[in-house]
Every structure is written in structure tokens, then in C-alpha cells.
Amino acid sequence: MTTLKEVAKRAGVSVGTVSNVVTGTVPVSSARRERVLAAISELGYQPNHVARSLKLRRTKMLGMVISDITNPFFSQMVRGAEDAALRRNYLLLTFNTDDRAEREKEVISVLRSQRVDGILLVVASEQRRPSHILETIRRGIPVVCLDRLPPGVSVDSVTVDNTGAARDCVQHLLKLGHRKIGIIAGSLSLQTASEGLQGYKEALAEAGIDPRPEWILQGNFRIESGYRLGRQLLTSLDRPTALFISNNLMALGILKALAELDLRCPEDVALATFDELPLMEAFRPHLTAVAQPAYSFGYSGAELLIQRIESKTHAKTPVAIRLPTELKIKESTLGYRFSTRQDCACLLGNS
Amino acid sequence: MTTLKEVAKRAGVSVGTVSNVVTGTVPVSSARRERVLAAISELGYQPNHVARSLKLRRTKMLGMVISDITNPFFSQMVRGAEDAALRRNYLLLTFNTDDRAEREKEVISVLRSQRVDGILLVVASEQRRPSHILETIRRGIPVVCLDRLPPGVSVDSVTVDNTGAARDCVQHLLKLGHRKIGIIAGSLSLQTASEGLQGYKEALAEAGIDPRPEWILQGNFRIESGYRLGRQLLTSLDRPTALFISNNLMALGILKALAELDLRCPEDVALATFDELPLMEAFRPHLTAVAQPAYSFGYSGAELLIQRIESKTHAKTPVAIRLPTELKIKESTLGYRFSTRQDCACLLGNS
DNA sequence: ATGAAAGCGCTAACAT
DNA sequence: ATGTTAGCGCTTTCAT
């Protein structure tokens, strides 16, 4: 690999001059600049970012820790973060944890060894005040948590109001006349999942309905678990007439179960889910969903993180960005108790 | 950040000794090792990978260049590559090009500046003998191309037989009795897309059918383009009875068009697509698809790349790994000309 | 405006 | 087995 020194030799100038041409921070006479530029292109010189990082003690790299890139929610988030990062000339180093706390620990350790300038984190650890995260922050590496917050840690974050969104969604089912509403929640050790369950319970409580324990199921956010729990719930003797599902993948699993059991949606069971995805438009019935701004999670998170990195001001109070969600009502809940199009239109209008 | 030097001072040994403890390449007396280990954990020392990379002139980082991480095919591929890389202690630096050649150039330049040890590349450039790729290889940075091959470049690769897979798939439609078969191809500047079209034409030719230009449409691998072209084709006066679609996202778009136009599948039009995804199991009708081993593309590619990096032997002949595809026949093509379950079962059996 | 030189944190060759 | 040191490629301060 060509080095600054070789370029300098070829152009007949000092390494300092070449560096000044490359970085553009110090003016260089145009005659010399020309010669340097010529030498650079003749030799195909590419600045060594590793050496620069060592010297400057910053890498212009961001660590990104998510649970699984093959989950569309996270791939959107990563794309958002990458787009924001590249605009500011930062690169993204991404890792999957599969929501396993020990993987998260390892990954953060790797990221620190790599000397990333900051970390975007979708926490896996359910543990209170996780030391690896606290320690990272204490060492001056900015961390922005996305979607979920580690309990007991004061840290910048980008989240949505999961409780409120779940409550709105279940209220929508109640308004349609449903009284027997089940929930497929995510793993309750994750904050988002327990918030979703909380919203579900609040909505039922407001309507004066006692939650039925056998209709509250805990999954793991994967297709397979939605399928399995869906079958379980839908084949039970006294099955709910509506289901609230805490994420997109489990919803897909339930659709599969539905098809196998020859149940119609929304006639036999109405379905409402968290997370909306472009590809869900192709599904029939079109699913009622709480749309989460997956891309924005990443984009805003990266912007906030870079701002923290570059402003150096060790802020005392964390910034908490709250992104809006939107309940998008579609066929999977409509049509159940309604016979005329007018009724539906009216309901769509004020929701 | 704590450095080796500080650890050495604390433990009362030389930096060399600390380095030897950390890397484990040279034996250190257990008494001193203990002291070093103690100092490391007291100070929370994390080796500086940047400095190590500069010194060793290798980063243990792999560059990965794909078109778009939000496309499930590529997110699976990235996950495969990451799993293979981590097993060998390499990290993955991923970039999206959106299939734009100039982005690819920029990204590869960044990767070279980062001094990645090798590059996994899903090529975007349709240009012959693209200089940025040739130059990268010439400089001794191993490149493994995934899924597609840049024209005129001798390079390691992991691909599938797109032509053969497309031909098999169209032959399946022909066997069912279809004579009016359309194709939604990808952007024909991409090798995979033109191979798919080639297979389609071969199958028709063997059956003695002349291709109808108005039934050969070119999309761009996105949901929206499948939707648009699907509507176009399905609303035409003389529409095909079966459709071969070159990727998963466009197939989803067509399903959306189908639902809007109130057409049934497979009764009104049979559908067969490239790419199979776990989440497609939830769709009804279940789509007949050529299953591509997306995860394996990444996994095998990363393994091959690392082998190249570590064996240093500048191989003269490129390795070309061919992964198998599998035609998975489902409801979206079956049931069209068959009235009894027996017929279907029989057909499923010998395909 | 330009050159010389120190030093970022590490590894490995060399000396002991 | 352990300590000492050169140098990886770069930026930047200090002279000039």
C-alpha cells in the first residue's frame, strides 16, 4: 500500500505538505498542490484510515448493536442509522445479539476495543443497571439507546410510547364491540414487551373487563412462536374474538396458523399488531397495525449520537426523543360487527 | 483510555510482557501473568485494536457491499456473512449501494481506506471490467463476489445457476398446461436478471412457444415496481395465465395488485417467484418459489474470503462456488388445471 | 508556505 | 523469561 511518505518523495515535497493537501486544513501553494495531486493519482494513494484514527484518537466509526438484522424492523433501523451516519462521514459497525445478554457484553467489549466513537444500542440485558453499559458511558463513550431502555441507567434514547400505543390499539378493538381479547406479548423481560402488556391491561381495565390469564401469552418475537401460540389460543375451547399481537413476525406466524385452521379474519378472529412493514401491504387481509418509525429510530439515534460525540459536552441530563406511532386501521379488524361500508368509513375517519 | 504502558507500570513489568500476556503468543511466568491480569482488570484495560491494526498491517475487518439491507434477501446474506466472520474473529463493515455504480465506487474506496482485509461484494456496476474492482484485486485485497459477477473480471464467487433455476420454474408452469406465461424480470443490466430472462426464454423455446414481447416486463426488484407492472400486465386485454417473477419483493407487489383487481391465484393467474423467505409462509396463497440460499451466500462467501486472506497464496484460478436452488411448489401454481388432490400430490412428488 | 520531528498504542525482533 | 526499542502511517507543533 502506498503511504504518504512515498507520495511525498514522488512529488518532491515533505510528508507534512502532502498531509496538508489531503486534509485541506492548511493552505498549500497551488504549484505544489498540483504536484502532490498528480503523485497521488499516479500512485493510487488511499489515505490509511487506521493510522489517522490512531493519531487523532477517534475512528469516525459508530457501533450498532441490534438483536437481529434479518428482522425487518431492525434492518430498517440499521438503514436509517447508516444513512444518517454516512451523511456526517461516520461508518457503522453492526452486530447482532439475538437478544442474549452475554452476547451484548461481548459485542460491547469488541466495540470498545475497536475504539468506536459512540454506540447505538437496542438493549438485550434485562438486568438492572448493567455494568457493561454503565462502564462504557463512564469511560466517555456516548451511548444512545433505541426502542428500549436498560433499567436504572441514565442514557440518551429514542423510543416510542409503547404503553399508549398498545392501549389505543386495544381500545380500537373494544370500540368494535370485542369483549374477548387475547394478547400475544413478547418476552416480558424486555421493556417494550411489558409496556405493551401494560397498555393492553389498561385498556381492558378502563372498559371494566377482567383480563383472562389464559388469553395472555408470552412469545419471543419470532414467526415460529406466533404460529405456536396462535394455534394454542385459537384451538382452545373458549377462544378470543380478537387478538393483539406485539410484533410483526409473530403476527405473520398467526396468519399461518389461521390459514391452517381454516379460520377467517376478521370474521372468526380480528387481528391487530405492532409494527408495520411495507411488505405487509401485500397480505390479505391487510393487517391493522401500530406503525412504528423503524427507519427514524436509526436515523434520529445516529444524529443524536453524532451530536453528542462532536459537542464533547458531557451532558448531565439525558436527551429522550419520543417518536410518534400511528394506528393504521385495515381489514383485519374492520368488518367484524359492521354490515355497511358507511359504518367502516365513519370508524376509519375518527381513529 | 488505558494503555499497555499504564498496565505495565501498574503491574511493575515491561510493556512487552503485558503484550505477551494479552496476545498469548510468548510464555510468561505465572507469577507475573497474575499481576498483569490483575492490573488489566483493575484498570479495565481494553486492547486498542486500531494500534494493533496499524502495527500488524491487517485489521481483521471484512467489507461487505450489498444493494440494500432492508431487502430480506440481503439481510439474510449479511447475517450469514457475519456469523461466519465472527467465528474466525473477523468483523463486518457493511454498506448499501442501492445498486448504483457510483455508490459502489465510493464505498470500495472507503473500504480500502479503512484497510479491510477483504471484500464481499454484490456488484452493482454493469460496466465491463470495472476498474475499481480490478484495481482492488490487483492491490492484493481479496474480493469474493456474491450472487452476481462483474463482466470480464476473474474473481472468486458464490453464485447459483439463475438460468437453470428460471428454466425449471417456467417448465413447471408449462407442465401445468400454461401456454400464456409472462415474466416480470429485474433490471436487465444486472446479470442475475438477464440470466433469469434467459432461462424463461429457453423454457418457452423448448416448448415451441414464441415469447410475446408485451409479456416481458422489466422491473427494479422493489415492491412498488412489482405492483405497477403487475397491474399493467393483469389489466391488459389478453393477459397471461401464469407469471414468473424474478424476486420476492416484486412478487409481494403483484400479490397486492392481485388483491386490488380481485383476481384469484392460481385460478385467474398462477404465480411463481424467485427467492423464498421464511415470512412468505404466512402468505395465502403460499407462493411457489425458487428457494435461494441467501444465508449460505454470505456464510460460504465469508469463509472463502477468509481462507483467501489467510492463505496468502495469490491463486491464479478463481474459485467459483455454485450453491443449489430448490423449486418449492405450492398453492400459487397448483390447482389450476387439476381437480383432484391426487393429481397435485403426483405432481409434487416428481418435481 | 514548508520541513523536521514527536508521538498516537501496539508488536516483534533483539538483547539480556 | 523479560526488558528495550524501532516503527506501523499519520497529524500537528514548532522552526524556519
Side-chain angles (χ1 to χ4, degrees):
Chain A
M1 269 297 147
T2 324
T3 67
L4 260 194
K5 210 165 148 187
E6 298 172 62
V7 174
K9 193 172 157 197
R10 173 116 183 183
V13 300
S14 73
V15 290
T17 301
V18 179
S19 174
N20 289 335
V21 170
V22 172
T23 59
T25 42
V26 173
V28 174
S29 73
S30 60
R32 295 182 151 238
R33 179 179 14 263
E34 290 313 315
R35 275 161 55 203
V36 169
L37 259 16
I40 285 177
S41 90
E42 283 160 27
L43 297 171
Y45 170 73
Q46 299 262 18
N48 185 325
H49 192 89
V50 176
R52 180 179 288 175
S53 294
L54 179 61
K55 177 67 192 180
L56 296 180
R57 303 151 113 251
R58 56 157 187 61
T59 53
K60 285 264 188 177
M61 298 213 333
L62 267 29
M64 174 136 206
V65 183
I66 57 169
S67 68
D68 181 12
I69 191 71
T70 64
N71 179 329
F73 178 63
F74 294 112
S75 64
Q76 299 259 18
M77 195 187 277
V78 167
R79 182 67 206 247
E82 186 175 323
D83 288 352
L86 287 179
R87 252 171 39 88
R88 310 277 309 252
N89 284 308
Y90 282 78
L91 307 184
L92 216 58
L93 205 49
T94 307
F95 290 88
N96 302 296
T97 62
D98 294 319
D99 280 329
R100 285 160 41 215
E102 75 276 22
R103 268 308 284 156
E104 176 178 290
K105 246 182 212 169
E106 292 164 15
V107 155
I108 287 187
S109 164
V110 169
L111 252 18
R112 285 177 52 187
S113 251
Q114 292 287 337
R115 296 298 190 266
V116 293
D117 295 338
I119 296 178
L120 290 168
L121 172 64
V122 179
V123 256
S125 324
E126 58 269 39
Q127 168 202 348
R128 247 197 97 70
R129 301 181 57 72
S131 60
H132 58 291
I133 298 173
L134 287 171
E135 180 63 12
T136 301
I137 297 170
R138 208 184 59 68
R139 298 256 168 177
I141 301 169
V143 173
V144 171
C145 287
L146 307 180
D147 190 36
R148 315 167 188 163
L149 276 168
V153 179
S154 163
V155 62
D156 290 337
S157 62
V158 184
T159 54
V160 298
D161 176 9
N162 287 291
T163 308
R167 191 178 48 227
D168 291 350
C169 192
V170 174
Q171 274 170 355
H172 161 68
L173 294 170
L174 289 163
K175 259 193 270 175
L176 286 170
H178 290 282
R179 285 297 170 270
K180 299 162 72 175
I181 303 176
I183 177 172
I184 312 267
S187 162
L188 294 178
S189 59
L190 297 173
Q191 180 213 359
T192 45
S194 60
E195 285 181 4
L197 180 56
Q198 170 70 14
Y200 163 85
K201 285 181 173 165
E202 285 179 16
L204 290 190
E206 280 173 28
I209 298 175
D210 281 335
R212 304 248 304 239
E214 70 273 27
W215 288 346
I216 298 179
L217 268 52
Q218 188 180 157
N220 66 4
F221 285 144
R222 311 221 180 156
I223 292 183
E224 171 278 335
S225 99
Y227 171 71
R228 188 169 36 78
L229 297 174
R231 274 196 79 99
Q232 182 181 326
L233 205 51
L234 296 172
T235 52
S236 62
L237 284 162
D238 186 17
R239 67 158 192 260
T241 62
L243 232 45
F244 173 61
I245 306 141
S246 311
N247 95 323
N248 52 2
L249 296 181
M250 293 197 298
L252 298 182
I254 288 179
L255 283 178
K256 191 183 162 194
L258 224 57
E260 277 188 17
L261 298 170
D262 240 336
L263 291 172
R264 288 156 308 162
C265 171
E267 294 84 350
D268 295 316
V269 57
L271 251 37
T273 177
F274 234 73
D275 300 346
E276 177 227 33
L277 296 168
L279 61 83
M280 280 168 42
E281 281 197 31
F283 278 90
R284 286 301 170 274
H286 203 153
L287 283 177
T288 290
V290 175
Q292 290 213 70
Y295 183 89
S296 300
F297 268 114
Y299 200 95
S300 313
E303 286 201 321
L304 173 56
L305 182 59
I306 292 169
Q307 188 185 311
R308 276 291 195 227
I309 290 167
E310 301 195 338
S311 77
K312 291 281 108 192
T313 60
H314 204 72
K316 42 229 79 168
T317 51
V319 173
I321 296 178
R322 275 269 163 149
L323 298 176
T325 58
E326 187 190 352
L327 179 59
K328 295 192 170 175
I329 296 169
K330 306 287 180 181
E331 306 148 11
S332 73
T333 55
L334 287 183
Y336 175 54
R337 308 259 149 167
F338 299 88
S339 41
T340 66
R341 288 220 169 257
Q342 281 71 18
D343 287 334
C344 296
C346 152
L347 192 76
L348 272 165
N350 54 22
S351 284
Chain B
M1 270 297 151
T2 324
T3 68
L4 260 194
K5 212 163 149 187
E6 298 172 61
V7 174
K9 192 173 160 197
R10 174 114 182 188
V13 300
S14 74
V15 289
T17 301
V18 179
S19 175
N20 289 335
V21 169
V22 172
T23 59
T25 41
V26 172
V28 174
S29 73
S30 58
R32 305 193 129 209
R33 175 170 28 259
E34 291 312 315
R35 276 163 53 207
V36 169
L37 259 18
I40 284 178
S41 90
E42 283 160 25
L43 297 172
Y45 170 71
Q46 300 263 17
N48 185 326
H49 192 88
V50 176
R52 179 179 288 175
S53 294
L54 179 61
K55 175 68 192 175
L56 297 179
R57 304 153 112 251
R58 55 155 188 61
T59 52
K60 285 262 189 179
M61 297 213 336
L62 267 30
M64 174 138 206
V65 183
I66 57 170
S67 69
D68 181 12
I69 191 71
T70 64
N71 179 328
F73 178 64
F74 294 112
S75 65
Q76 299 259 17
M77 195 186 277
V78 167
R79 183 66 205 248
E82 185 175 324
D83 287 353
L86 287 179
R87 251 173 38 89
R88 310 276 310 253
N89 285 309
Y90 281 78
L91 307 185
L92 215 57
L93 205 48
T94 307
F95 290 88
N96 303 295
T97 62
D98 294 318
D99 282 328
R100 284 160 42 211
E102 76 276 21
R103 267 310 283 157
E104 177 178 289
K105 246 181 213 170
E106 293 165 13
V107 155
I108 287 187
S109 164
V110 169
L111 254 16
R112 284 177 53 188
S113 250
Q114 292 287 336
R115 297 295 189 268
V116 294
D117 294 338
I119 296 178
L120 290 167
L121 173 63
V122 178
V123 255
S125 322
E126 59 269 37
Q127 166 202 350
R128 248 197 97 69
R129 301 181 57 70
S131 60
H132 57 291
I133 298 174
L134 287 171
E135 180 63 13
T136 302
I137 298 171
R138 209 184 58 68
R139 297 255 167 176
I141 302 169
V143 173
V144 171
C145 286
L146 307 180
D147 190 36
R148 317 168 187 161
L149 276 169
V153 179
S154 162
V155 61
D156 291 337
S157 62
V158 184
T159 54
V160 298
D161 176 9
N162 287 292
T163 308
R167 192 179 46 229
D168 291 351
C169 193
V170 174
Q171 273 169 356
H172 161 68
L173 295 170
L174 288 163
K175 256 194 271 177
L176 287 170
H178 290 284
R179 285 297 170 270
K180 299 161 72 174
I181 303 176
I183 178 172
I184 312 265
S187 163
L188 294 178
S189 59
L190 298 173
Q191 180 212 1
T192 44
S194 60
E195 284 181 5
L197 180 56
Q198 170 70 12
Y200 164 83
K201 286 180 174 165
E202 285 180 18
L204 290 190
E206 281 173 28
I209 298 175
D210 281 335
R212 305 248 304 240
E214 71 272 27
W215 288 346
I216 298 180
L217 267 53
Q218 188 180 159
N220 67 2
F221 285 144
R222 311 218 181 159
I223 293 183
E224 172 278 335
S225 98
Y227 170 72
R228 189 169 36 78
L229 297 174
R231 274 195 79 100
Q232 182 181 327
L233 205 51
L234 296 172
T235 53
S236 61
L237 282 163
D238 187 18
R239 66 159 192 259
T241 62
L243 231 46
F244 174 61
I245 304 139
S246 311
N247 96 324
N248 51 5
L249 296 182
M250 293 196 298
L252 299 183
I254 289 179
L255 283 178
K256 191 183 161 197
L258 224 58
E260 279 189 14
L261 298 170
D262 240 336
L263 291 172
R264 288 155 309 160
C265 171
E267 293 85 349
D268 296 315
V269 57
L271 252 36
T273 176
F274 234 74
D275 301 347
E276 177 227 34
L277 296 168
L279 60 83
M280 280 169 40
E281 282 197 31
F283 278 90
R284 286 300 171 273
H286 204 153
L287 282 177
T288 290
V290 175
Q292 289 213 74
Y295 183 89
S296 300
F297 268 113
Y299 200 95
S300 313
E303 284 201 321
L304 173 56
L305 182 59
I306 291 169
Q307 189 186 310
R308 276 289 195 231
I309 291 167
E310 300 195 339
S311 77
K312 290 281 107 195
T313 60
H314 203 72
K316 43 227 80 170
T317 52
V319 172
I321 296 178
R322 273 270 161 150
L323 298 176
T325 58
E326 187 191 351
L327 178 60
K328 296 192 169 172
I329 296 169
K330 306 286 179 181
E331 307 148 10
S332 73
T333 56
L334 287 182
Y336 176 54
R337 309 258 148 165
F338 300 89
S339 41
T340 67
R341 287 223 169 256
Q342 282 72 15
D343 288 332
C344 296
C346 152
L347 190 77
L348 272 166
N350 53 23
S351 284

